[in-house]
């Protein structure tokens, strides 16, 4: 028996409309897999069976392997996304319409608790 030792493609794609890297065939961003692997210390099996069964074990392993080979680049990509998200949050929270909405929401919740 002879094994074919061909390079395999990484199951990731650039979702242009949302400016995010996702796992092929899903809407799961690479950030989510990396977070679970790094921060939550989840195994590939846990990620594939508990967190994201739609991704599948083979793809989870492939994404983790890609991450480990390109750690600096992926970490920089994730840091850029986190900075952009923080900036957007600051913009939204500074908007007077947002403040008014949050005040109405708090008042509604308070009145519901009082009932």
């Amino acid at each position: 028996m002879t094994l074919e030792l061909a390079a395999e493609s990484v199951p990731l794609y650039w979702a242009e409309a949302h400016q995010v890297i996702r796992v092929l065939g899903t809407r799961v961003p690479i950030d989510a897999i990396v977070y679970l692997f790094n921060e939550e210390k989840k195994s590939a099996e846990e990620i594939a069976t508990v967190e994201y069964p739609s991704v599948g074990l083979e793809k989870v392993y492939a994404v983790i392997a890609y991450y480990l080979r390109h750690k600096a680049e992926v970490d920089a990509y994730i840091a850029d996304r986190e900075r952009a998200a923080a900036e957007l949050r600051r913009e939204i929270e500074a908007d007077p319409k947002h403040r008014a909405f949050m005040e109405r929401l708090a008042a509604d919740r308070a009145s519901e608790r009082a009932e």
Side-chain angles (χ1 to χ4, degrees), residues 72-105:
E73 297 95 323
V74 174
D75 286 346
Y77 161 80
I78 291 171
D80 286 346
R81 285 182 41 82
E82 288 172 349
R83 276 191 294 280
E87 178 59 31
L88 180 59
R89 182 181 188 114
R90 281 191 294 275
E91 288 175 19
I92 291 169
E93 290 175 348
D95 185 334
K97 292 178 189 173
H98 173 75
R99 287 187 190 150
F101 171 76
M102 294 305 289
E103 289 169 4
R104 281 194 318 272
L105 184 61

Side-chain angles (χ1 to χ4, degrees), residues 47-69:
I47 295 169
T49 59
V50 177
E51 304 293 338
Y52 293 108
S54 65
V55 173
L57 187 58
E58 290 177 17
K59 287 181 183 175
V60 170
Y61 269 117
V63 170
I64 291 170
Y66 177 83
Y67 170 66
L68 293 173
R69 283 191 310 272

